[in-house]
Amino acid sequence: MRILAIGAHLDDIEIACGGTLAKAIEAGHDVKVLIMSKSGYTNKEGAVQRSDEIAVKEGLNALHTLGIRNIEILDFPTKDIPFQSDVVTAIDLRMADYDPDVVFTHHPFDTHQAHEGVSKASIAAARRKNTVFFYEPITPSGRSYVSFKPTLYVDISKTLDKKIASLKCHTSEYNKFGAEDWIEGVRCRCGFRGYEIGKKYAEAFEILRLEMNFDEGTGL
């Protein structure tokens, strides 16, 4: 099975579905990650908090920690990735080339404007794909007026450690978001989602579309 995970920034994938992708790779599935920006960040006062070079270095280390090697990073603006034709086309081209069986992307009601734009562009580009999941936002970008509705769960009890290790590769984000408080927040959310399904840790997703396949070796 070929799995494409799309994120606006380097760290989005690790936070939201890192455990799931690590589990898929361990099970022998193929995973590609498409990141829409180099993810350098300037705060509202104009100070550079993370350069593109640092973001890419940390992001590659994080994704490699999960076992992901097929990584493509585009160069749209970090904060402003709109739902418009050039963004849709960029995703569409990669979608056609990779031909994924499963697509993961942002929740369309994520309150980060770049996340929202990437989600809508992904939905448009995946118009011919039958299995598309939204991954769960996290505070602050998750505090939306339209709630995330978990309808699919993946037990990540055996890959949580890889997920946490990948987050710690993002040293600049680790410091920005509260160090171990950030890690604990992510861990606790995985614990809560695991509790909902009777497991130790899980990641949750909202289903846009799901094709059920009964052929041997092709199931989700």
Side-chain angles (χ1 to χ4, degrees):
M1 182 165 59
R2 290 182 301 279
I3 300 169
L4 175 63
I6 305 167
H9 310 111
L10 291 152
D11 77 356
D12 293 336
I13 299 297
E14 299 90 303
I15 294 170
C17 57
T20 297
L21 298 183
K23 183 174 184 175
I25 290 168
E26 288 182 2
H29 299 288
D30 191 78
V31 173
K32 175 182 172 70
V33 164
L34 175 63
I35 305 298
M36 303 303 292
S37 72
K38 292 181 179 177
S39 306
Y41 182 80
T42 301
N43 67 17
K44 61 182 180 294
E45 286 81 25
V48 175
Q49 290 190 302
R50 181 164 78 152
S51 68
D52 284 346
E53 292 75 19
I54 291 296
V56 168
K57 180 180 179 180
E58 292 176 351
L60 290 176
N61 287 339
L63 293 168
H64 290 163
T65 297
L66 296 174
I68 300 168
R69 292 293 183 268
N70 191 349
I71 304 162
E72 187 171 2
I73 303 170
L74 305 185
D75 197 19
F76 288 96
T78 297
K79 296 181 185 178
D80 299 298
I81 310 175
F83 176 34
Q84 62 185 37
S85 61
D86 58 337
V87 181
V88 175
T89 298
I91 299 172
D92 208 350
L93 288 169
R94 277 78 186 176
M95 198 88 67
D97 180 64
Y98 184 62
D99 191 23
D101 303 297
V102 177
V103 177
F104 289 95
T105 191
H106 292 278
H107 187 247
F109 293 100
D110 192 313
T111 54
H112 191 302
Q113 68 280 356
H115 294 183
E116 179 188 11
V118 170
S119 177
K120 291 179 177 178
S122 299
I123 293 168
R127 59 197 174 275
R128 297 184 182 89
K129 297 301 175 183
N130 296 332
T131 301
V132 181
F133 304 134
F134 302 136
Y135 48 75
E136 187 171 10
I138 196 167
T139 302
S141 65
R143 306 188 75 176
S144 175
Y145 61 95
V146 177
S147 62
F148 173 83
K149 301 176 183 66
T151 48
L152 173 73
Y153 293 80
V154 177
D155 178 5
I156 63 161
S157 301
K158 294 182 179 179
T159 55
L160 179 77
D161 288 346
K162 283 187 178 180
K163 177 185 177 82
I164 296 301
S166 75
L167 294 181
K168 290 185 176 182
C169 291
H170 288 280
T171 304
S172 57
E173 298 293 86
Y174 178 86
N175 294 327
K176 174 184 174 184
F177 290 127
E180 285 303 305
D181 288 344
W182 177 48
I183 299 298
E184 187 62 14
V186 174
R187 187 194 309 273
C188 287
R189 186 177 70 175
C190 293
F192 174 69
R193 293 306 186 195
Y195 177 74
E196 289 185 310
I197 61 168
K199 306 294 183 181
K200 185 66 175 175
Y201 295 105
E203 289 172 337
F205 305 92
E206 186 171 333
I207 299 170
L208 172 64
R209 289 189 297 274
L210 174 61
E211 177 184 3
M212 185 171 287
N213 192 333
F214 292 99
D215 294 340
E216 185 177 356
T218 62
L220 296 177

